[in-house]
Each structure stands twice: as structure tokens, then as C-alpha cells.
Amino acid sequence: MRIGVIGTGRIGTIHAKTLSRNRDVGSLILTDVDPARAQELALRLGETAAPGVDEIFKWGVDAVVITTATSAHAELIGRAARSGLPVFCEKPIALDLPGTLHAIGEVEAAGTILQMGFQRRFDAGYTGARNAVLAGRLGRLHTVRTVTSDQVPPAPGWLRLSGGLYRDALIHDFDALRWVTGHEVVEVYAAGSDAGPPMFQEAGDVDTGAALLTLDDGTLATATATRLNGAGYDVRMELAGERDQIVVGLDDRTPIASTEPTGPPAADKPWSGFLERFGPAYEAELAAFVEVVLGRRPNPCDGREALQALRIAEACEVSRRERRQVALAEIPGRAESAFR
């Protein structure tokens, strides 16, 4: 199998290294807006660099992995679909609903594959939580709490292109919430704070956000996120039911300290970022993509799944801006079950 990797930045480099080690992948063609960066990575991996995106399609590949800037995702997804090629794309499809729906439409019209990069679906902790819910271990689920906290804020230039805290960071929590619980969000109320560094206000974004989400079975969920968590990178999900309570992301590297006399000590080496925390999950999602392309397993996260997470993020943005509850029915796009 020959795979084209479009984008060799931080996550593109990780994905290219992972694919180059996969025994079912014969070779890679790498390209980037910075040709020298793609060439340097290709030399390190013993792969081929292409001068541009056109060559990826002209030289012939069996699948495409897209890790470019978000603004290029939708167009590249459409181009791959028209070429009949399976695609793995980092989230999101686009920063707006029209662009997302158009790209999904092209994939569905072509009958090709689009797998989205929501790596938490491949994390051992989130998988364990989903299995516990499916098995009925918690009984009736009544409360879910999610946390996503970055230790270091992004660069100001990138921040303006990110789509904002809800679309860029919390969208992972929204996808995980649907996937783990098997229920849809029907209503949100969101708020945000830009009291941190001026760059957030200048970008029209917030550095800290919170949302109260109501699921279709009445379960209440809270989702919080911040770009300024000095203690370390912290991603957790707590699920409480009438029979039991469990947590994802609580281990000896969780950057949280107890004030109780007998509580656990602070982590000696707290998580520093998402690439470190979710390294195995990133590898697993690429291995799954190869298996999907080879016809060995169904698509674990298609474009419609990504659309639903974006719809929740859009509802939160409307809620934050207009300071009101927002029903998901107000947001375009059709909801589908997270369980298959």
C-alpha cells in the first residue's frame, strides 16, 4: 500500500513515522507547503517527498492522510473523494457547517472512505469507559464531567486560525461524550472567559470555557477547557451512575494535587501535552485506518460522526455569544447514533 501524507508539521510527522512502521504500508509520499520540511522528513524515514499536492495524486497512491492547516481540509477531502481515494483527516473537516456538509457530500457521492482523527476513541481509558457504560456497570448514568486543560497556550498566529476553544479543543470532549455514552446532546448552555493574555481577546476567542450539556436521556454533562493550566496537560472524563462511578485520565501523571492529609501526592512528571498523553491512541487510529482501507474493519469515525461534534461546538459558540440556552435542533445537520 502506498499512502500520501499531506502536511508534515507536528502531527503530520507523528503520523508519517507511525505509517512508515506499519507492515501493511509499503511506502509513503510526503508533501508540505514547506517543501524543504517534507524533504527532510522523507530523508529521515527513507520515503519519497513530492514538491506539491498535485504530485500526490499524479504519482498514484492508495490512500491519503491529511494533516494540513484546517483551512485546506475540506478541499483536499473533496479532491481525494473525486479521485476515489480513502482519506484519513485530522479534525475538523472544516471550521464551518457549510464547508463540512459539502465535503461529506462529496465523500458520500463518490462512495469513498473518510475517517476522522478523534484519537480519544482509541485511548485505553475512554475505551474502558465506553465498555463500562455498554455493560451497564454504572446503572442509570446521571452525570458526566469532562476536562481538557492545555499547559501552554498556542501561538497567537495559530490561535486566529483555530476556530476557537469550542471548535478546536472541546470538540474532542463532545465527540467522546457521544461515543462513550451512546447518547446525543440536545441542549447546551456555554460561557467563556477572555481574562487571560490579550491575544485571546484579539483573536475573538476565550482562554477558558465551560458548557452544560443535556443528553437525550436526561443525563447532565459539564465540559470545561482552558489554555492556561500551569500544572500540566489534564484531560479527564468522570461518569457517575446510580450503581458506580468511574474516571478516565486519572493516573500517576495527572497534574492535580490533593489537599487531603491522606490524599495522593502531586505527579512527579505530569503530562506536558496531547502528543505525549495520547501517543498510543494516535498510533492505534492510524493502524485502524490501514485496516479500513484493506477492508478488514468498518470505519470507526466517519464524517457524519465528526459533523455531530462540530454541531455541538457550534451550539456552544451561539450560546456563549448570545448568552442563552441553545437547542441542537437549531443547528443544521442530522444527528446519528454514536453506537453502531
Side-chain angles (χ1 to χ4, degrees):
M1 183 190 302
R2 194 183 203 189
I3 296 180
V5 179
I6 305 176
T8 56
R10 183 169 56 170
I11 193 65
T13 296
I14 295 294
H15 287 343
K17 289 179 178 178
T18 296
L19 290 167
S20 71
R21 296 192 299 265
N22 190 303
R23 63 184 181 184
D24 288 316
V25 178
S27 62
L28 303 177
I29 302 178
L30 313 177
T31 193
D32 193 87
V33 291
D34 180 355
R37 184 165 67 178
Q39 182 66 51
E40 190 274 333
L41 180 60
L43 286 173
R44 279 197 283 137
L45 298 179
E47 303 290 355
T48 302
V53 172
D54 288 347
E55 284 74 17
I56 292 285
F57 294 96
K58 289 178 181 177
W59 293 356
V61 293
D62 300 299
V64 174
V65 171
I66 299 171
T67 61
T68 61
T70 297
S71 58
H73 287 185
E75 191 277 329
L76 290 171
I77 289 170
R79 184 169 182 180
R82 293 190 296 274
S83 300
L85 294 173
V87 175
F88 175 93
C89 184
E90 279 300 320
K91 64 82 191 167
I93 294 173
L95 290 177
D96 61 0
L97 286 166
T100 299
L101 289 165
H102 181 76
I104 291 172
E106 290 210 75
V107 171
E108 293 179 348
T112 53
I113 294 166
L114 170 60
Q115 180 182 326
M116 294 303 300
F118 282 101
Q119 86 283 355
R120 294 187 194 182
R121 294 182 177 221
F122 298 87
D123 176 72
Y126 283 93
T127 299
R130 173 180 162 99
N131 291 340
V133 172
L134 278 170
R137 170 181 163 185
L138 307 184
R140 185 187 69 85
L141 194 64
H142 53 73
T143 307
V144 182
R145 308 174 191 92
T146 75
V147 175
T148 291
S149 299
D150 291 327
Q151 182 177 26
V152 179
W158 181 88
L159 192 64
R160 290 190 291 271
L161 305 174
S162 71
L165 187 68
Y166 291 99
R167 297 187 190 93
D168 177 62
L170 276 165
I171 196 168
H172 281 288
D173 297 88
F174 302 150
D175 178 70
L177 179 63
R178 295 182 63 246
W179 187 70
V180 170
T181 68
H183 288 281
E184 299 294 344
V185 174
V186 295
E187 189 174 71
V188 307
Y189 186 86
S193 169
D194 59 7
M199 66 178 183
F200 291 98
Q201 192 173 59
E202 292 166 2
D205 196 7
V206 294
D207 58 75
T208 304
L212 172 64
L213 309 104
T214 303
L215 305 189
D216 57 18
D217 66 341
T219 300
L220 295 179
T222 58
T224 64
T226 185
R227 302 289 197 185
L228 303 164
N229 198 56
Y233 180 72
D234 187 11
V235 170
R236 281 174 284 130
M237 172 183 271
E238 300 172 9
L239 299 104
E242 292 181 346
R243 293 181 186 169
D244 203 355
Q245 181 170 233
I246 57 176
V247 59
V248 177
L250 182 61
D251 58 21
D252 60 359
R253 298 192 65 182
T254 304
I256 191 168
S258 173
T259 60
E260 299 296 335
T262 59
D268 290 332
K269 187 181 178 183
W271 297 109
S272 61
F274 62 91
L275 290 177
E276 183 185 32
R277 164 66 177 84
F278 289 109
Y282 281 116
E283 292 197 15
E285 70 176 358
L286 265 295
F289 176 62
V290 171
E291 291 183 347
V292 170
V293 174
L294 292 172
R296 296 175 183 169
R297 63 173 293 174
N299 190 344
C301 187
D302 63 19
R304 290 281 170 183
E305 293 287 296
L307 170 63
Q308 301 317 321
L310 179 61
R311 291 179 68 240
I312 299 168
E314 290 289 329
C316 286
E317 284 289 358
V318 173
S319 177
R320 179 179 72 87
R321 185 172 61 249
E322 300 181 5
R323 296 179 178 272
R324 68 177 178 88
Q325 289 183 325
V326 175
L328 263 289
E330 299 179 41
I331 309 300
R334 181 170 58 88
E336 294 187 356
S337 174
F339 284 125
R340 297 184 179 280

